[in-house]
């Protein structure tokens, strides 16, 4: 079965202020600052780079949990840490590598191997990861809990 969806996000920036991301679907807004590495001004606000990594982790988690549910894995929790390495020069700015460390807590020890296998399967089902042409390193772990 094939479905189609669209997502819309609006971004508004005013002079000398942070940008504000919003969507018609949500009441809350996200404050976004310019990349603090470039501006040398640390603020308690997310950068586009932070949101990019969060998007990668969220997409990977969604793909994993959907696949795990379809394969009958009984899980209690999922958490993940992501880190992106990037280079900035006068000529180009680019993300060079992304590291993802996902952890799933499962209930049945008999499902450990199946839960590990799903980590590699779900990479192909992650919309965001499929759109990237960046080296992605995934170091998964399964915990019995």
């Amino acid at each position: 079965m094939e479905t189609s969806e669209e997502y819309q996000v609006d971004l508004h920036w005013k002079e000398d202020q942070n940008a504000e991301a919003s969507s018609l679907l949500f009441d809350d807004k996200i404050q976004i600052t310019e990349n603090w590495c470039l501006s040398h001004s640390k603020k308690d606000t997310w950068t586009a780079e932070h949101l990019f990594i969060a998007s990668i982790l969220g997409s990977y988690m969604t793909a994993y949990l959907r696949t795990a549910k379809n394969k009958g894995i009984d899980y209690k929790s999922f958490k993940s840490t992501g880190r992106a390495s990037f280079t900035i020069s006068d000529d180009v700015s680019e993300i060079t590598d992304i590291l993802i460390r996902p952890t799933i807590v499962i209930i049945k020890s008999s499902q450990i191997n199946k839960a590990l296998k799903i980590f590699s399967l779900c990479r192909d089902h992650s919309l965001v990861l499929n759109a990237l042409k960046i080296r992605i390193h995934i170091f998964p772990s399964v915990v019995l809990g």
Side-chain angles (χ1 to χ4, degrees):
M1 181 173 131
E2 188 174 306
T3 62
S4 177
E5 290 189 35
E6 288 186 8
Y7 294 86
Q8 178 179 327
V9 174
D10 299 312
L11 185 71
H12 184 222
W13 180 84
K14 293 181 184 174
E15 188 175 345
D16 297 329
Q17 294 184 14
N18 293 330
E20 187 175 78
S22 62
S23 175
L24 294 173
L25 301 174
F26 309 112
D27 292 332
D28 55 338
K29 295 175 173 40
I30 299 172
Q31 297 295 312
I32 304 171
T33 191
E34 61 187 88
N35 186 319
W36 62 268
C37 289
L38 299 176
S39 68
H40 302 292
S41 63
K42 280 192 174 183
K43 298 179 182 178
D44 294 335
T45 310
W46 289 67
T47 65
E49 292 76 13
H50 288 109
L51 294 171
F52 178 71
I53 296 167
S55 177
I56 291 168
L57 295 179
S59 180
Y60 187 79
M61 177 197 69
T62 300
Y64 186 92
L65 296 180
R66 182 178 58 241
T67 306
K69 183 178 179 182
N70 289 340
K71 299 286 185 184
I73 300 291
D74 296 317
Y75 55 86
K76 290 171 84 173
S77 69
F78 182 99
K79 67 178 182 177
S80 188
T81 299
R83 184 174 53 210
S85 300
F86 58 96
T87 58
I88 300 170
S89 71
D90 291 338
D91 299 326
V92 67
S93 297
E94 65 180 350
I95 295 175
T96 56
D97 289 274
I98 295 173
L99 172 72
I100 302 173
R101 293 189 183 275
T103 301
I104 186 87
V105 177
I106 63 171
I107 298 168
K108 299 177 183 175
S109 62
S110 62
Q111 296 183 327
I112 291 175
N113 288 336
K114 191 187 254 188
L116 279 169
K117 184 177 180 179
I118 292 172
F119 280 112
S120 60
L121 292 175
C122 71
R123 181 178 180 151
D124 295 333
H125 298 286
S126 169
L127 293 171
V128 174
L129 267 64
N130 281 334
L132 301 175
K133 303 296 181 218
I134 302 168
R135 287 185 304 254
I136 299 172
H137 311 280
I138 302 172
F139 298 98
S141 61
V142 176
V143 176
L144 192 59

